[in-house]
Amino acid sequence: MARMSDPAALRVSYEHGRLDDDGLPDAWPPLLQAWFATAAADPAVREPNAIQLATVDAAGRPAVRTVLAKAIDARGVVFYTNYDSAKARELAARPLASAVFAWLAHERQVRLTGPVAKVERAETEAYFASRPRGSQLGAWASPQSSVVASRAELDARYADAAARFGDREIPAPPGWGGFRLSPDAVEFWQGRPSRLHDRVRFRLADDGWVRERLAP
Ligand SMILES: Cc1cc2nc3c(=O)[nH]c(=O)nc-3n(C[C@H](O)[C@H](O)[C@H](O)COP(=O)(O)O)c2cc1C
């Protein structure tokens, strides 16, 4: 049967899971790591480490884009990007972001909000060294978020970078590296029938993490 093209007619009842209070951890990291492991183990989830990252510029104008989380631990979530990109300039002006993992195959989302800071250079260099050579060259070739004249200009920049490094090891470009979003609020959402979804939020208070249930 053809899928309906009227978005108002699309309707799914969320019945895959539940988020009961029993057994929930006192802080968010173990739950995020468990949900991420479940997503990463399921071939139905494309790009399980993709997050949508929202920032605002100095004037308060928001922007959102997808990036890939490359570390997920109790300190937060790390992503890599160009330090002259629009997002990096926004983060320089306003070092706060909000990100969402949307694991729709599991009827789950996790939202993280909090301060963002560049990771240590050694962490960027270690990650960059693990990237495929083509991605390393791409980082040197692309002045991310700048206007370029044509696709041909980009391809020429890539060829220049390839010629410049030859067979040599490629260092991380100085204008490229990681940011860590260290959340002070993390919210887990599990879809439930009748739109009575489960939402559990962890927020950082003076004396540690507070866990509370939110109305859907
Ligand atoms: C699946 C996917 C993964 C992406 N991963 C990254 C990433 O890890 N880092 C990055 O800088 N851009 C990534 N992008 C591109 C960004 O969405 C965006 O186009 C780019 O970073 C420029 O954003 P900005 O102009 O807001 O700085 C990805 C896009 C998609 C669709």
Side-chain angles (χ1 to χ4, degrees), residues 54-128:
T55 52
V56 288
D57 70 11
R61 182 182 167 86
V64 63
R65 78 291 283 160
T66 304
V67 295
L68 298 176
K70 291 293 177 174
I72 303 171
D73 62 27
R75 293 171 297 169
V77 169
V78 175
F79 60 91
Y80 288 90
T81 195
N82 186 300
Y83 282 156
D84 293 316
S85 64
K87 76 182 81 53
R89 276 181 268 119
E90 287 158 8
L91 287 170
R94 300 240 168 164
L96 279 171
S98 191
V100 62
F101 288 95
W103 294 310
L104 304 185
H106 297 167
E107 301 168 351
R108 284 176 169 174
Q109 74 172 354
V110 180
R111 302 162 71 190
L112 306 97
T113 303
V116 177
K118 288 182 180 176
V119 303
E120 296 288 330
R121 197 63 195 158
E123 191 172 343
T124 286
E125 285 168 358
Y127 171 68
F128 191 82

